[in-house]
Amino acid sequence: MVVVTGQNKVSGNPDDAMSSSDAEDDFQEPATPTATQAGQALPLLPQQFPEVVPLNVGGMYFTTRLSTLRRYEDTMLAAMFSGRHYIPTDSEGRYFIDRDGTYFGDILNFLRSGDLPPRERVRSVYKEAQYYSIGPLLDNLEDIQPLKGEKVRQAFLGLMPYYKDHLERIIEIAKLRAMQRKARFAKLKVCVFKEEMPITPYECPHFNSLRFERSESETKLFEHHCEVDVSFGPWEAVADVYDLLHCIVTDLSDRGITVDHQCIGVCDKHLINHYYCKRPIYEFKITWW
């Protein structure tokens, strides 16, 4: 009889002794189980799913066919329910997805029959489609409003140098002033101008000729910075100053910032001879609470 101890010592009849390698083949101490292994053993992969799948998405319940979840093979849902990954279940046996389920019904409706959400939910469903990597749904949503209009808007803003940086500067200046003054709101001056060359209205017919006939010294006089906090422009597009103002207010509002604005005049800085800067100046009022 051979006894193998924890130190792999062999005792007994020498004729019956086994080599250490043979002993290791016949006997190995089990690894110490981890807390996870001791408490709950995970099922072996691949995981098997029923034809009708009950789902718990962030506390909201859905039921759909397995084939619906696998409709497009390059999506996260198809990968999750391919059997290659373990999906936990809740106390009722529903497969749990740790994601807000508010718009998951719209995701399922597209996978089932290609239905698209109403306009007021398009942006939110688009974010969910990005998370689940549903390319066909993303393509469809990008071709309808408001996302199609957003593409055009972003193309316009692409002409604007340092647009996002200027937005950040508006926020930082307004926050600093409100904190310094312990005030609910802060005001700052913003210049928004489309044309490169500042001119007075009665000189507009001569604008093109004047632009190219200026001497180098005159050019330097025309190049100036209006006395404002932030300045947007110039740009070359059909969209005008009011379109850019709309973009600024919209993007600030999307970040939860309450902003009002009004035109308070023009720069009116004397440049040379009878030339004055006529870039419009706007007062932005940002309310913090």
Side-chain angles (χ1 to χ4, degrees), residues 52-72:
V52 177
V53 182
L55 297 169
N56 178 345
V57 184
M60 299 183 68
Y61 305 141
F62 303 89
T63 304
T64 189
R65 293 175 63 92
L66 181 60
S67 59
T68 299
L69 297 171
R70 296 174 176 177
R71 176 63 52 83
Y72 299 103

Side-chain angles (χ1 to χ4, degrees), residues 24-282:
E24 290 175 357
D25 291 339
D26 286 359
F27 176 82
Q28 291 184 356
E29 290 188 7
T32 302
T34 63
T36 301
Q37 292 170 334
Q40 180 181 4
L42 298 180
L44 297 176
L45 298 178
Q47 190 174 11
Q48 299 296 320
F49 298 100
E51 183 178 354
V52 177
V53 182
L55 297 169
N56 178 345
V57 184
M60 299 183 68
Y61 305 141
F62 303 89
T63 304
T64 189
R65 293 175 63 92
L66 181 60
S67 59
T68 299
L69 297 171
R70 296 174 176 177
R71 176 63 52 83
Y72 299 103
E73 61 181 13
D74 293 332
T75 67
M76 180 186 291
L77 287 173
M80 291 171 65
F81 290 90
S82 64
R84 301 191 303 270
H85 307 281
Y86 172 68
I87 309 297
T89 57
D90 63 13
S91 59
E92 300 296 327
R94 305 181 187 92
Y95 295 97
F96 181 72
I97 299 177
D98 194 10
R99 182 78 176 175
D100 187 348
T102 303
Y103 303 101
F104 192 76
D106 293 300
I107 298 293
L108 285 182
N109 286 337
F110 177 79
L111 294 176
R112 288 165 175 154
S113 55
D115 292 343
L116 297 177
R119 176 170 178 168
E120 63 271 16
R121 294 207 299 268
V122 165
R123 292 182 185 274
S124 298
V125 175
Y126 186 82
K127 291 181 180 179
E128 295 304 296
Q130 286 180 312
Y131 176 78
Y132 293 110
S133 301
I134 305 176
L137 177 53
L138 292 172
D139 293 339
N140 277 273
L141 293 176
E142 288 174 356
D143 284 336
I144 62 176
Q145 289 285 37
L147 295 182
K148 193 172 187 65
E150 182 62 18
K151 278 188 174 181
V152 178
R153 191 178 82 96
Q154 291 300 328
F156 162 56
L157 292 178
L159 303 174
M160 205 64 49
Y162 310 111
Y163 175 76
K164 292 184 178 179
D165 293 337
H166 291 339
L167 285 183
E168 294 297 330
R169 182 168 174 77
I170 288 175
I171 295 171
E172 288 302 316
I173 292 175
K175 181 174 67 175
L176 180 61
R177 289 180 181 172
M179 292 179 67
Q180 288 176 340
R181 301 171 184 176
K182 309 297 187 296
R184 279 184 66 231
F185 60 86
K187 295 180 180 180
L188 60 159
K189 292 181 180 179
V190 177
C191 177
V192 181
F193 66 100
K194 182 177 180 180
E195 304 293 348
E196 174 70 35
M197 180 179 173
I199 56 175
T200 53
Y202 61 86
E203 290 148 357
C204 285
H206 306 287
F207 176 77
N208 290 331
S209 61
L210 289 172
R211 167 180 283 180
F212 297 106
E213 292 178 359
R214 287 180 293 164
S215 66
E216 184 177 349
S217 59
E218 290 175 331
T219 300
K220 292 182 179 180
L221 289 173
F222 277 100
E223 294 176 353
H224 78 290
H225 298 286
C226 302
E227 296 180 358
V228 294
D229 298 298
V230 182
S231 185
F232 291 85
W235 67 89
E236 294 183 4
V238 174
D240 59 20
V241 169
Y242 298 103
D243 295 318
L244 182 58
L245 284 170
H246 181 272
C247 291
I248 296 172
V249 173
T250 298
D251 289 335
L252 290 175
S253 298
D254 286 344
R255 297 183 59 172
I257 297 174
T258 303
V259 54
D260 297 307
H261 69 279
Q262 62 177 345
C263 183
I264 58 175
V266 295
C267 174
D268 211 28
K269 180 179 179 180
H270 181 245
L271 302 175
I272 181 175
N273 298 331
H274 49 275
Y275 287 94
Y276 294 83
C277 175
K278 295 303 175 183
R279 295 171 180 172
I281 307 298
Y282 294 84

